[in-house]
Amino acid sequence: MDDSTGSAVLAAASAELHRLWEAVVNREASDLESAEATVRDGVLAMGAMVLEAAVASRGTGKLGARMACPCGGAARFEGYRPKGVQTLVGWITLRRAYYVCAACGQGYCPLDAALGLRRDSLSPGVRRLVGRFGAVLPFAAAAGALADAARVQVSPSTVRTITGGEGADLVLDLGGQETLGRSVKAARCDGAVAIIGVLSGHGNADFPVSDAMTRQVRLYGVAVGSVEAHRELARAVAASGLRPHISH
């Protein structure tokens, strides 16, 4: 990034920061939650602007007029292709050099490989985060939690795809009555569902028993106790210096 580009990005970020400050201090609503949301969204927007400029400063991935194709032919430079990418700080747009091989017809954008991008619109950081959420929550719940916690917008089907399409080893079900069926579907064959809450009710869960039986999904309840009991346990662990062994 040359000095002029860097200066322009810093000036734009400074202007956005000033607007964010004005939006927070002059807002009519004074509750902390709404102020938190405003600041977070503003900071993420500035981060996306800086990240987009930083990636652009490293070039488009153009390697010359031609590049070698895996088929053995030569791919020719055909121009530039934009690509929207959802990152941990929001959406950015990339400008990528595009090559096409006359022998096999395959198209390539070398910048994608350099940045670790796949055919979808997710950055490596977002893919990793989605995989972590999808490993411990039902796919629909993971998609909702990602939107709330990280402003990452993905569908339940995308969560399933990123976790391998086979489901999670262990699903933690907090809802109980209304969510247990989805949790069973989210677990892989020979996986497990730990029922640790009944936020949706204590009644009967309505889902096909075959979903659990044919895929050998294990269901078991975990009594987590009250909030106060958990706090007392945390204080005891901290005071004793105990370090629980976590095997997986």
Side-chain angles (χ1 to χ4, degrees):
M1 181 183 299
D2 58 39
D3 292 341
S4 60
T5 302
S7 297
V9 171
L10 291 176
S14 178
E16 288 296 324
L17 183 59
H18 179 74
R19 280 192 286 269
L20 177 60
W21 170 259
E22 293 294 330
V24 174
V25 299
N26 294 326
R27 65 185 300 112
E28 294 181 3
S30 59
D31 62 292
L32 181 59
E33 184 176 4
S34 62
E36 286 179 306
T38 299
V39 171
R40 177 169 67 168
D41 290 344
V43 170
L44 288 176
M46 285 187 287
M49 177 178 60
V50 172
L51 180 61
E52 181 175 284
V55 175
S57 71
R58 298 180 181 179
T60 62
K62 186 177 180 181
L63 302 175
R66 296 179 181 276
M67 62 171 286
C69 178
C71 76
R76 187 177 63 182
F77 174 67
E78 294 287 340
Y80 297 95
R81 296 285 178 89
K83 180 180 179 68
V85 179
Q86 184 174 195
T87 74
L88 292 176
V89 293
W91 285 88
I92 65 174
T93 300
L94 306 179
R95 183 171 183 258
R96 307 125 69 223
Y98 180 66
Y99 292 80
V100 176
C101 177
C104 68
Q106 184 66 47
Y108 302 94
C109 288
L111 186 62
D112 289 357
L115 297 177
L117 299 176
R118 302 187 185 183
R119 296 182 66 87
D120 58 29
S121 59
L122 305 180
S123 73
V126 167
R127 293 184 65 85
R128 188 177 304 108
L129 190 64
V130 171
R132 288 177 178 175
F133 273 67
V136 296
L137 290 173
F139 300 134
L146 283 162
D148 292 339
R151 294 294 195 266
V152 170
Q153 302 287 340
V154 293
S155 66
S157 61
T158 297
V159 178
R160 173 182 282 276
T161 299
I162 289 179
T163 56
E166 300 177 355
D169 294 337
L170 173 65
V171 178
L172 305 181
D173 185 88
L174 291 166
Q177 179 180 345
E178 296 183 5
T179 61
L180 185 56
R182 294 197 296 270
S183 294
V184 171
K185 286 183 177 295
R188 65 168 175 79
C189 289
D190 198 32
V193 176
I195 306 168
I196 64 174
V198 287
L199 296 179
S200 64
H202 296 74
N204 296 328
D206 184 14
F207 68 94
V209 175
S210 60
D211 285 350
M213 181 185 71
T214 59
R215 295 167 52 244
Q216 301 176 29
V217 176
R218 304 182 302 281
L219 285 76
Y220 56 92
V222 178
V224 297
S226 66
V227 173
E228 183 56 35
H230 185 270
R231 289 172 177 166
E232 291 179 359
L233 175 62
R235 287 194 292 267
V237 170
S240 66
L242 181 66
R243 297 178 64 86
H245 174 67
I246 301 176
S247 60
H248 62 279

